[in-house]
Amino acid sequence: MPSPKLTVVTLGVNNVPSSALFYEKLGFTRKFRATGDEIAFFDAGGVVLALWDWRKLADDAAEAEQPRPHAFRGTTLAWNCATAEESMQPLPKP
């Protein structure tokens, strides 16, 4: 079993540029601007904080945009694996 390591926290936001400015004013350092204002990535001390359009995040999570589902709050967590084999290992049962 690989060691779990949270790598990305993505927040769904209504306005990426405005939200990015908010986090910049809080002191977060923005990284990787190649996507323009499509998505914003910030260094969050060992984890990446990403800001993405709520509708696109809902689509990516295969959830309906409206009405906003009770189970999806516009936040996702990612654990990126080093290899494809590592990603295919079964998770422990709760």
Side-chain angles (χ1 to χ4, degrees):
M1 181 75 185
S3 175
K5 184 183 284 188
L6 184 64
T7 52
V8 182
V9 175
T10 304
L11 303 178
V13 298
N14 289 325
N15 185 306
V16 173
S18 293
S19 297
L21 183 59
F22 172 79
Y23 282 92
E24 287 172 343
K25 287 183 176 183
L26 285 177
F28 286 87
T29 302
R30 190 162 176 189
K31 304 285 185 181
F32 189 70
R33 293 179 178 260
T35 59
D37 285 328
E38 176 76 18
I39 189 168
F41 297 102
F42 293 91
D43 180 1
V47 173
V48 172
L49 172 64
L51 306 176
W52 197 22
D53 182 89
W54 195 97
R55 290 169 297 284
K56 292 177 183 177
L57 188 61
D59 288 344
D60 190 57
E63 294 288 349
E65 177 186 345
Q66 293 295 329
R68 287 193 175 179
H70 296 285
F72 182 71
R73 298 289 186 215
T75 303
T76 61
L77 305 176
W79 170 9
N80 295 318
C81 297
T83 65
E85 294 77 25
E86 184 178 286
S87 69
M88 299 306 289
Q89 291 189 10
L91 296 174
K93 295 192 189 260

